[in-house]
Amino acid sequence: MQFFVDTAEIDQIKELNDLGMVDGVTTNPSLIMKSGRDILEVTKEICAIIDGPVSAEVVALEADDMLAEGRKLAKIADNIAVKVPLTWAGLKTCKTLTDDGIMVNVTLCFSANQALLAAKAGATFISPFIGRLDDINMDGLDLIEDIRTIYDNYGFETNILAASIRSANHMSECAKIGADVATAPPNVIKAMANHVLTDKGLDAFMADAKKAGIKIV
């Protein structure tokens, strides 16, 4: 499973990329606003750091306007994935951009039917939102599993990009289900390294090393 980091903060991206923990980046208007940067400027900088796909989202609602924005975003770098919402206008835009050879990430997916439409439209990535489904007392992981089954049934090449990930548990469950990609905030990716027994064991080892006077350098 590939790891995309869900942020527009350059320092966070560089830190995880240096550790080999980033295969791509996803952004959205909210993350761009939080960064305080111009969307074209910060997206170009991210693309220079990351070799993998960098999702940049349109802000228009009509298909013609989405298409114009998508084409402008795609000119930033070869690794741009234009991000469009899962609306009828978004699907139209997806089909046109895909036919032009541009990667497209169809976002705000909340049902298997929506994911099926995105695949038919040629989406490179489909982004089902796990956490937001959990927020309304539905199991977001069930949606990942349903999409995996449908795509495997018919050989769709659209990558399942699990999004709205809130916990390290979401990451491991997505990996078990077979999501192609999971995008998560930097703190969630870092939390995957944490375990209370690791901490407990390390404390014991350090205490014994001190008692024994062990020094290596």
Side-chain angles (χ1 to χ4, degrees), residues 20 23 28 80 100 165 171 216:
D23 300 295
N28 59 48
I80 284 288
D100 289 344
I165 286 181
M171 295 291 282
I216 298 174

Side-chain angles (χ1 to χ4, degrees), residues 76-142:
I76 294 174
D78 291 338
N79 55 331
I80 284 288
V82 176
K83 203 171 181 184
V84 300
L86 213 159
T87 61
W88 204 247
L91 292 171
K92 288 181 180 180
T93 304
C94 173
K95 180 65 168 65
T96 302
L97 291 176
T98 298
D99 288 346
D100 289 344
I102 296 169
M103 290 188 292
V104 179
N105 178 356
V106 180
T107 190
L108 291 171
C109 173
F110 294 98
S111 76
N113 277 336
Q114 289 180 317
L116 183 54
L117 289 173
K120 295 287 284 183
T124 313
F125 302 100
I126 182 67
S127 291
F129 277 38
I130 298 174
R132 295 195 192 185
L133 283 171
D134 289 351
D135 290 344
I136 60 169
N137 204 31
M138 298 179 69
D139 192 336
L141 291 167
D142 286 346

